[in-house]
Amino acid sequence: MISPGGVPPFKVREAIAEALWDNVKAQDLAAVCEYLGLEPQQPGEDPYCSKRSYVKARLQDMDLPALVTVARRVVAEYGDEDLKRVLAPLGLRGVGTDMKNLIFAADGPKPRIVLPDSIGNAIRIVENEQYCLVYDRPLGEHGVSWADLADWWASRRSEAPTTPDQSRRELHGRLRRSLGGNGAEELVFDAYVKLGFDVPALIPQVYLHYDPYTVAERQGQPVLARQRMDFLLLMNHRARAVIEVDGIQHYSRDNPQKGAPPLADSVRYAAMMAEDRRLTLQGYEVYRVGGQELADRATAEKGITEFFTALLRRHGHLEPER
């Protein structure tokens, strides 16, 4: 099997074995392999004989997606440049541009933004700043975790400090409030939060584009599609995943006949798909959740949890499934 990036599985196996040979001592190799989700040491095996052979034996029966998961974890632990180069054609290094501005969780009127320094891409919110949050810390190689976001939230408080648990609860409440009572988005958010505190933050209502004009000022002509995304995950190695929860308004329009059901809107749907393709080509992963998937809460929560678990494993944020 050759991947879409033209990298065969054996090349990934070779690169993983070489990276571990170069970065891990023989006496530690068995423990490191187990940490990476690989098979434990068997009777008669000795990593001292050949570190490369020891690793390759554990990778031999893995398909490409499983190899990629292991490779991501190796890069996360050791930052091996040769392994990074092997992974690069597979599109596993995420979005190439640095994060400059993260404006999110708007729970009121749209902020008014100006560009005081276009050369440095600096922005300033001059109106309605109180209704949104602006994360102003550098983006690390691991993305933005709940821990990062909670630490940032605590640091911006002007009143007396609270306990970490109180601060986290406040942050959770503030983020959830930005969903505006949208039950489908709240379900997705609540299911993700249950995955724990040591994973990337599910950041709601993130400004992706900014159009300073109102619909009336533009006379109904759209300039920038999808100004806000429902959720954003900033993960290992610049990987960024957009999560959109699609209600009926994403693919329909109001019926002029009073009381009649909405009409399918192929133009709106096509524009949405075109925007998805544009984001994907920029390096984003785009995932859509259909509103109908969330009709039954118990079933929906299970499905959403399974999806997020698989996504986080793919990017090395959760232990591989055994």
Side-chain angles (χ1 to χ4, degrees):
M1 172 186 173
I2 303 294
S3 74
V7 180
F10 82 85
K11 292 285 287 186
V12 183
R13 290 190 193 97
E14 293 280 349
I16 293 171
E18 197 66 25
L20 293 177
W21 178 87
D22 195 39
N23 290 283
V24 181
K25 294 179 179 179
Q27 63 263 33
D28 299 325
L29 187 59
V32 169
C33 284
E34 282 199 60
Y35 169 75
L36 294 170
L38 302 179
E39 183 182 341
Q41 184 173 350
Q42 301 299 310
E45 286 189 307
D46 186 0
Y48 283 87
C49 293
S50 172
K51 292 195 292 183
R52 291 186 183 91
S53 297
Y54 184 90
V55 174
K56 288 179 185 178
R58 280 151 179 76
L59 303 174
Q60 193 58 45
D61 295 329
M62 287 187 171
D63 60 13
L64 189 63
L67 289 169
V68 165
T69 298
V70 175
R72 284 179 183 276
R73 294 181 66 84
V74 174
V75 169
E77 288 294 322
Y78 304 107
D80 189 90
E81 294 300 323
D82 291 333
L83 183 53
K84 285 183 182 180
R85 280 191 286 273
V86 170
L87 293 178
L90 298 170
L92 301 176
R93 298 190 69 176
V95 179
T97 56
D98 291 331
M99 184 183 77
K100 301 293 197 309
N101 310 296
L102 182 60
I103 304 171
F104 64 104
D107 64 350
K110 179 178 178 178
R112 182 167 171 248
I113 299 172
V114 298
L115 192 68
D117 179 8
S118 61
I119 295 175
N121 195 32
I123 67 167
R124 186 165 72 244
I125 302 175
V126 295
E127 192 173 311
N128 297 325
E129 182 177 8
Q130 69 271 31
Y131 298 111
C132 60
L133 303 177
V134 183
Y135 186 81
D136 54 3
R137 293 184 176 180
L139 181 63
E141 184 70 7
H142 68 282
V144 176
S145 67
W146 283 125
D148 294 328
L149 205 60
D151 184 66
W152 165 82
W153 172 261
S155 71
R156 66 189 293 276
R157 291 173 52 86
S158 57
E159 60 267 28
T162 61
T163 67
D165 283 344
Q166 287 174 321
S167 184
R168 291 173 191 175
R169 284 196 296 271
E170 286 180 6
L171 173 62
H172 175 269
R174 174 62 182 83
L175 297 179
R176 201 175 189 275
R177 191 166 71 245
S178 72
L179 303 178
N182 184 311
E185 292 181 10
E186 289 176 346
L187 191 156
V188 170
F189 185 74
D190 292 344
Y192 185 86
V193 168
K194 291 178 182 177
L195 291 175
F197 195 67
D198 298 323
V199 295
L202 185 65
I203 306 171
Q205 302 299 306
V206 178
Y207 273 94
L208 178 64
H209 307 304
Y210 181 75
D211 183 349
Y213 297 102
T214 65
V215 173
E217 289 170 332
R218 289 189 271 104
Q219 298 181 348
Q221 297 299 313
V223 177
L224 293 173
R226 196 183 308 160
Q227 290 192 52
R228 275 197 302 190
M229 62 185 81
D230 292 338
F231 298 103
L232 176 66
L233 285 167
L234 298 167
M235 299 180 287
N236 283 331
H237 317 307
R238 297 176 177 264
R240 303 178 192 176
V242 176
I243 315 296
E244 292 286 351
V245 181
D246 291 347
I248 194 170
Q249 74 277 7
H250 288 81
Y251 48 83
S252 67
R253 54 187 169 85
D254 292 338
N255 195 318
Q257 296 184 7
K258 189 175 181 180
L263 299 172
D265 191 335
S266 58
V267 174
R268 177 173 293 181
Y269 180 77
M272 184 174 69
M273 293 299 101
E275 177 66 9
D276 282 358
R277 292 195 302 273
R278 191 188 68 80
L279 282 174
T280 301
L281 288 173
Q282 287 184 355
Y284 287 83
E285 298 176 26
V286 182
Y287 299 97
R288 293 192 166 275
V289 179
Q292 191 59 35
E293 292 182 65
L294 308 176
D296 181 271
R297 186 173 186 90
T299 303
E301 187 169 332
K302 180 176 182 294
I304 290 298
T305 300
E306 289 174 351
F307 159 69
F308 277 126
T309 299
L311 180 63
L312 294 175
R313 280 181 177 148
R314 179 172 185 262
H315 288 277
H317 291 285
L318 290 178
E319 294 290 334
E321 189 175 14
R322 294 184 183 274

